[in-house]
Amino acid sequence: MPALIAVPPPDQSADLGASAAPVELLLSLFLLFIGAKAGEEIARRLGQPAVVGELLGGFIVGPNALALVVPGETAAVLAEIGVVILLFAVGLEVRLDDLLAVGRPAVLTAVIAMFLPIVAGVAIGIAIGEPLGGAAFIGLALAATSIGITSRVLSDMGVLDRTYARVVLGAAVIDDVLALIAIGLVAGAAQGDLSASTLLIGVAAIGLVGVGFAAARRARGLKREVFTFPLFADTPLVPAFIMMFTFALLSAYIGLAAIIGAFVAGLIIAETEAREELEHEIRPLGLIFTPFFFGVTGAQLDLGSLLDPGILVLAIVLTVAGVVTKALGGILGARSIGRWGSIAVGAGMVPRGEVGIVVVNLGLGAGLLGAGIFNGLLVAVVLTTVIAPYLLQIVIPRANEEALRSAEAKAGIGPTGPPPI
Amino acid sequence: MPALIAVPPPDQSADLGASAAPVELLLSLFLLFIGAKAGEEIARRLGQPAVVGELLGGFIVGPNALALVVPGETAAVLAEIGVVILLFAVGLEVRLDDLLAVGRPAVLTAVIAMFLPIVAGVAIGIAIGEPLGGAAFIGLALAATSIGITSRVLSDMGVLDRTYARVVLGAAVIDDVLALIAIGLVAGAAQGDLSASTLLIGVAAIGLVGVGFAAARRARGLKREVFTFPLFADTPLVPAFIMMFTFALLSAYIGLAAIIGAFVAGLIIAETEAREELEHEIRPLGLIFTPFFFGVTGAQLDLGSLLDPGILVLAIVLTVAGVVTKALGGILGARSIGRWGSIAVGAGMVPRGEVGIVVVNLGLGAGLLGAGIFNGLLVAVVLTTVIAPYLLQIVIPRANEEALRSAEAKAGIGPTGPPPI
C-alpha cells in the first residue's frame, strides 16, 4: 500500500522502513535501468559498443536531456555496487601469476601514462593562462584512469585473458595508487599544507594491494568449504560478497577507489576452488547492478555544452592530449608485449570516467578551476570515456592478430619446428 | 578516491554521481547486511528460524539497540527490491492451476481472516476507550497480512508446493486487495470523504490480478526466446527482471503492495520455458537483496518498549487477539484441506510485518491513534511477525504428516487397494 504512505507526518517516516521506499524513487531507478538497457540494445543493433549505448541511454533519460531521472544518493549507491561487482568479477577471471608476469610493463605504463598527461595538462593550463594550481588539476584530471569502462569492453570482447588486458588491469591498480598520492600532494600544496599524511595514505594504499597479493598467493587451492562453512551459506556467494565489500570499503577508507579493493578480493578468490561456482553466481548480480553504473555515469554527461564553441575547442584539445598521452604511455611502457598490444594497453587507459569527474569536481571545490575550464575539462573527461570503447574495438583485433602471428613464429622455430637434421 | 569527495561544495554534489555514494552510507548498508547474516547464523546454530535471526540481527545493529545503522531511503529501496525479488521467486515456484485449485479455501480464509481481526480490534479499541476511528485502525492493523516472512519460512522448509502453502499465498493476494479497499474506506470515512475512488482502486486492483492470471494462462509453454530476443539478453534474467519490476510498480501505483505484482509476474513466467533457468539466475539476487528486507524490518523493532508494563499488557492482548483471529480464519476458511493444514494456513497469515507497520503509521498520521495505543499496537505487529516462524515450525510438520496419512488412506481405498473380491 505504498501509495498511501504520504499520510504519516515526516517525523514518523523513519519508522516506515521497508515500506517507505517512495514509489517515485523506485520508478526513477527503474527508468535509469531501462534507459541503459534500451541504449545498449540500440547500440548493439547499430554495431556500436554496448557500453556506449548504456552511457548514452543514461544521458538521454538523465537531467541533461529528457530529465526523466535525476540520479540521487540511492542511484549512486547502486552504481557504486555495480562497478564494485564488475571489477570483482574481472578479478575472478585473472590469475595473480599472470598479473605479476606483466608487472614490469604494467608499472612502466602506469608511471609514463600518469607522467605524460600531467605534463600535457599543466602545459595546456599555463598556455591558456590558468594559475599553476588550476593547471595542476587539469593535469591530474587527464592522468586519471577509470578501469570500469575498459573492463566491460574487454569482458564483452572475451579478451580478459590476453596479455594486454592484464597489463591494463595491473597498470590501472598502480595508476590509482599513484593518482591517490598525486591528488594528496596537489590538494595539500593548494591548501599550503603538505603534511606527512599524504605519504601515510600512499603507504597504506600500497600496503593494502600488497597484502591482497600475498593473500592471493596463500589462497591458492583453498577448498570451497572455506566459504560455505557458515550455515547461512549453501554456496560461496554470500561470504564472497562480504569479502568483496570489506575490501572495497577498506580501499575506499584508505582513499583508493573502492573498485581496487574489489578487484583484489576477486584476485584472491580466483585462486581458490570456489572460483568457477562464484563466476556463475556473480553474473546475475552484475547484470542487474552494473547498468546503474553506466546509466549514472551517462546521466552526468552534458553533451549540450559541446554547443558552446569555446568549450568545444578546449574540450577537443584536452581530449586529443588525453588520448595521445595515454596511448604514448602504453606504447612506451608496454612495448615489450608487441606493437599493437602496447597500443591496446594505451587505448585501455584512455577513459577517465568517474575518477576524472571526481578530480574535476575536487579542483572546482578547491577554487582552483574556473567555470569555463571546468566545463571544457568535464566534457573532455566524458569524451575520453565515450571514445575509448571505439579505440579498443579498432585496436584489439589487430593486437589479437599480432599475438597469433607471434605465436606462430615462435612455434616455427620452437619444439614443433623441423628437427635439427 | 571517495574519501576525498568531501571537498567539493554541496551544490556540485549532484554532478559527482556514481562516485558520490558516501563511504559512510555504503558502510552502514554493509553493517545492516552483516547484522542480518550474523543474526541468521546464530539463530540457525541455536536451532531457531533463520528469519527470526535476520530480524533480530537488524534490530541489534539498528537505531533501537546499538544504533550502528539508521536505515534511510537507500536501505528502504534495497529492502523493497529484496522482498519484491523474494515474492517473484515464490511466484516462479507456483503453478497457476495449483493456485486456482485452492481458490475456494483461499477466498474463504482471506475473508474470514480479515473480518475476525477487524471485529476483535474494534472491540478491544472500544473496550479501552478509543473513539471509533482509532478502534477501526486497530482492527485494520490486526487484519493486515505480510506474506514476506511466511514465504521465506515456507521456502526455507521446502514446502512451497504443499496445499496449505498455496492457500496462504492465494489468501495473501486476496487479503491485500481487501485491505486496500478497507483502508481506503476507513481513511475516507475518517476524513469525511467517502468517494468513489476507493471503489475504483479496488476494481483496478482486482483487474491487475485478473489480467495477470489470464496472462499466466496464455504464457503456458512460451519459448525461452520470448525473453532472450533482445541482443542484451543472453539469458532470460534482465527481461524477466524488467517484467517483474513493471508489475511491482503497477501494483504499487494502484495502491497494492509491490510484492503482489512481483508475485503475479513470477506466476506468469513460471508457465514459460524460461522458468528453470530463471530460478537459478534469480537466486543470487535474492541472497544479496532479501537480507536488507529482513534487516530493515528488524531495525524497526523497538523491543525496549516492552519494558513499559502498560504497553506490554496492551501489546500482549493485541498479539493474542491477532494470532487467535488469524488462526481461526485459517481453521474456518481452509478446513477443507485438513485440520493441521488449515492451522498451518492460519499460522501463515499471522505476521503483520511491514503492512501492519504502515497501517499503524497511517492511523497515527490521521490523528486517530494516541501515542500509548500506537506503541502497543506497533509492538503487537512486531510480535506477530517474530512469533509466526515459530508457529509455522510447530504446525508444518504436523500438516505434512496429516497430508501423508491422508494420501496413504486414499491409496488404501483407491486403485492400489485390495481388489473387490
Side-chain angles (χ1 to χ4, degrees), chain A residues 16 79 124 137 167 170 192 217 257 263 267 276 279 290 361 404:
Chain A
L16 286 172
I124 294 173
F137 261 101
V167 175
R217 180 143 286 171
F263 175 70
L267 277 183
E276 217 166 311
E279 280 183 349
T290 54
N361 277 288
L404 190 68

Side-chain angles (χ1 to χ4, degrees), chain A residues 1 4 16-19 23 30 41 74 80 183 231-232 245 253 255 281 284 289 296 300 354-355 358 362 364, chain B residues 1-2 4 12 16-19 23 30 41 74 80 183 231-232 245 253 255 281 284 289 300 354-355 358 362:
Chain A
M1 284 149 288
L4 294 164
L16 286 172
S19 306
V23 183
F30 185 52
E41 186 67 15
T74 303
E80 184 75 22
I183 291 172
L231 294 181
F232 65 69
F245 224 106
Y253 268 100
E281 290 196 284
F289 276 104
V296 166
Q300 295 167 347
E354 78 292 352
V355 184
V358 169
L362 276 174
L364 186 77
Chain B
M1 286 146 288
L4 293 165
Q12 287 301 328
L16 287 172
S19 307
V23 183
F30 185 52
E41 185 69 15
T74 304
E80 184 75 23
I183 290 172
L231 294 181
F232 67 68
F245 225 106
Y253 268 100
E281 289 197 284
F289 276 106
Q300 295 167 346
E354 78 292 353
V355 185
V358 169
L362 277 174

Side-chain angles (χ1 to χ4, degrees), chain B residues 70-169:
Chain B
V70 180
E73 200 171 70
T74 304
V77 165
L78 293 175
E80 184 75 23
I81 298 177
V83 72
V84 158
I85 288 174
L86 176 63
L87 267 287
F88 176 72
V90 168
L92 275 183
E93 289 195 42
V94 174
R95 288 301 157 288
L96 180 65
D97 284 346
D98 294 337
L99 200 62
L100 294 179
V102 296
R104 212 181 123 82
V107 170
L108 276 174
T109 299
V111 172
I112 302 174
M114 170 141 296
F115 178 75
L116 293 182
I118 288 183
V119 170
V122 170
I124 294 173
I126 290 173
I128 60 172
E130 286 287 312
L132 192 61
F137 262 100
I138 298 174
L140 278 181
L142 292 189
T145 299
S146 163
I147 197 65
I149 309 277
T150 299
S151 295
R152 167 69 185 272
V153 176
L154 296 175
S155 174
D156 281 356
M157 297 181 82
V159 293
L160 273 171
D161 59 337
R162 301 299 177 117
T163 307
Y164 53 81
R166 288 191 196 118
V167 175
V168 172
L169 290 171

Side-chain angles (χ1 to χ4, degrees), chain A residues 62-135:
Chain A
N64 297 315
L66 299 182
L68 296 173
V69 180
V70 180
E73 199 170 72
T74 303
V77 165
L78 293 175
E80 184 75 22
I81 299 177
V83 72
V84 157
I85 289 174
L86 176 63
L87 267 288
F88 176 71
V90 168
L92 275 182
E93 289 196 41
V94 174
R95 286 306 154 287
L96 180 65
D97 284 346
D98 295 337
L99 200 63
L100 294 179
V102 297
R104 214 181 120 85
V107 171
L108 277 175
T109 300
V111 172
I112 301 174
M114 169 141 297
F115 178 74
L116 292 182
I118 289 183
V119 171
V122 170
I124 294 173
I126 289 173
I128 61 173
E130 286 285 313
L132 192 62

